[in-house]
Amino acid sequence: MSSILVTGALGQIGSELVPALRASFGNDRVIATDLRVVPSSAAAAEAPYDHLDCTEPQQLHEAVRRYDIGAIYHLAALLSASAEAAPQLAWCVNMGGLYNVLEVARAYGCKVFFPSSIGAFGPSTPKDATPQDTIQRPTTIYGVTKVAGEMLCDYYASRFKVDTRGLRLPGLVSYVAAPGGGTTDYAAEMFVHAVRYGRYTCFLKAGTRLDMMYMPDALAAMIQVMEADARRLRYRNAYNVTAMSVTPAEIAEAIRQHIPDFVIDYEVDPVRQAIADSWPRSLDDSAARDDWGWAPKYDLEAMTKDMLTRLQERLAAARSR
Ligand SMILES: NC(=O)c1ccc[n+]([C@@H]2O[C@H](COP(=O)([O-])OP(=O)(O)OC[C@H]3O[C@@H](n4cnc5c(N)ncnc54)[C@H](O)[C@@H]3O)[C@@H](O)[C@H]2O)c1
């Protein structure tokens, strides 16, 4: 049986995707890799871990051969705010890395998962119930790499029969690893600050409405689309998926149901606000529901309850050490 390679495995998603994949497919069959040399997360500590720079094709070829890889979850990328601070590097990592992954997949017959984003849309995209097929003219380098990445996946699927599968993920909320420089990082940060300090200063305006998803739903979606019957997949670029469409003020209100004294104030970062303003308010994910049975389990209320419980447990455990 072939193994699964995860690139960028020490990031926000990889730190939880690796344990989830290991739980389904076995520890030794999931190879966590990242640019960072020293494994610093629980995900890497327990699974086979290797250093891998996805901009170096030779390293990818060697890893695929050495570990007999049959599927690649390609997570390595610069996120929206980090990419805007270093656009040239973002192109090199996001596009160069994906191209190398698709080439190695073509050579060895691997299946590929590509995480696109709501950042693949832009100001001219319909903002509400954003359709699966619509205008994609993003104004960020992150978005440019995500649209181009979606099209490259489509091309490799039709031209070379590479089994590519992708999701347009919304902002992800999680408590295991800190978010890595995205525009929706405020949501996860708000929960952490609420539990630790009882207050949070948000870098987006109170009414900024964006799609969000709790990490357990995102992990389920990634594994589900990779395991779906290939004949049912109409889209090989990326499927819209969402779980909720919320504003910072609404998340703060949901937190106040559990921590009544929680205080939120706003110090708007113009760069991240401009990025958020260029993105949709809510996606139509009916194609994912129809084609491979996508159905999120967590709404805002359920996510808030679980996030606060988990963070309070972690804080109590840290204090008792
Ligand atoms: N987190 C979200 O809210 C979100 C939403 C939509 C899409 N995505 C996409 O999901 C993927 C993973 O996101 P994340 O939140 O885990 O990001 P992250 O920033 O937390 O992690 C990315 C990881 O990639 C690694 N990396 C960077 N350059 C590399 C290289 N050259 N070679 C190998 N590894 C390298 C970093 O060390 C880091 O551990 C990205 O493609 C991102 O665009 C994330």
Side-chain angles (χ1 to χ4, degrees):
M1 256 192 305
S2 59
S3 300
I4 297 167
L5 181 79
V6 182
T7 70
L10 297 181
Q12 188 194 12
I13 295 178
S15 299
E16 298 193 54
L17 180 65
V18 169
L21 288 170
R22 277 197 280 131
S24 297
F25 304 105
N27 277 8
D28 296 341
R29 282 188 60 209
V30 181
I31 318 301
T33 68
D34 201 285
L35 188 59
R36 289 184 256 169
V37 180
V38 183
S40 58
S41 75
E46 293 163 36
Y49 176 83
D50 217 339
H51 168 259
L52 194 160
D53 180 347
C54 68
T55 65
E56 295 289 342
Q58 202 48 40
Q59 293 185 16
L60 274 163
H61 280 268
E62 278 168 21
V64 167
R65 274 200 304 264
R66 187 181 321 136
Y67 297 108
D68 184 22
I69 298 299
I72 304 172
Y73 284 77
H74 177 48
L75 304 182
L78 263 65
L79 270 66
S80 55
S82 308
E84 221 44 56
Q88 296 80 4
L89 179 65
W91 179 264
C92 170
V93 174
N94 295 15
M95 286 315 299
L98 177 63
Y99 171 75
N100 291 337
V101 164
L102 289 169
E103 270 298 291
V104 85
R106 181 177 71 82
Y108 297 95
C110 306
K111 205 186 239 193
V112 175
F113 173 76
F114 170 65
S116 187
S117 157
I118 51 172
F121 299 114
S124 49
T125 304
K127 280 201 175 297
D128 296 302
T130 304
Q132 174 67 36
D133 286 315
T134 186
I135 301 163
Q136 289 185 268
R137 299 209 56 193
T139 47
T140 63
I141 187 67
Y142 179 68
V144 169
T145 65
K146 289 300 183 190
V147 180
E150 287 187 16
M151 293 174 76
L152 202 58
C153 287
D154 235 357
Y155 179 76
Y156 269 71
S158 63
R159 175 77 168 78
F160 300 121
K161 305 293 171 235
V162 175
D163 190 351
T164 60
R165 296 158 187 232
L167 301 176
R168 291 184 187 129
L169 292 167
L172 299 182
V173 178
S174 67
Y175 58 88
V176 173
T183 302
T184 52
D185 291 5
Y186 83 84
E189 285 172 8
M190 198 191 305
F191 287 101
V192 172
H193 285 234
V195 169
R196 280 203 199 140
Y197 317 116
R199 60 181 312 132
Y200 178 64
T201 302
C202 184
F203 57 76
L204 293 185
K205 290 180 193 162
T208 311
R209 182 168 298 284
L210 293 167
D211 285 291
M212 293 278 172
M213 189 182 291
Y214 195 29
M215 189 61 87
D217 276 333
L219 301 178
M222 288 180 242
I223 295 172
Q224 215 179 325
V225 76
M226 280 293 267
E227 294 302 306
D229 182 346
R231 289 165 303 184
R232 296 204 54 194
L233 300 178
R234 281 176 294 162
Y235 296 94
R236 292 314 189 128
N237 53 339
Y239 279 90
N240 283 1
V241 282
T242 185
M244 61 195 89
S245 162
V246 289
T247 66
E250 287 169 358
I251 299 178
E253 190 48 44
I255 291 174
R256 258 185 234 111
Q257 301 303 309
H258 302 266
I259 306 174
D261 295 338
F262 174 61
V263 175
I264 184 162
D265 51 30
Y266 298 89
E267 239 171 64
V268 173
D269 168 11
V271 174
R272 285 182 285 190
Q273 185 66 49
I275 295 175
D277 289 342
S278 76
W279 289 354
R281 286 187 284 260
S282 69
L283 299 187
D284 172 358
D285 60 5
S286 51
R289 290 171 186 268
D290 292 345
D291 287 8
W292 47 275
W294 162 240
K297 290 196 172 71
Y298 290 87
D299 60 9
L300 176 59
E301 201 179 309
M303 175 178 81
T304 303
K305 190 161 178 270
D306 201 62
M307 271 296 279
L308 294 176
T309 307
R310 304 292 181 145
L311 286 167
Q312 277 153 352
E313 284 166 3
R314 285 166 78 97
L315 192 63
R319 281 184 178 146
S320 69
R321 276 203 288 271

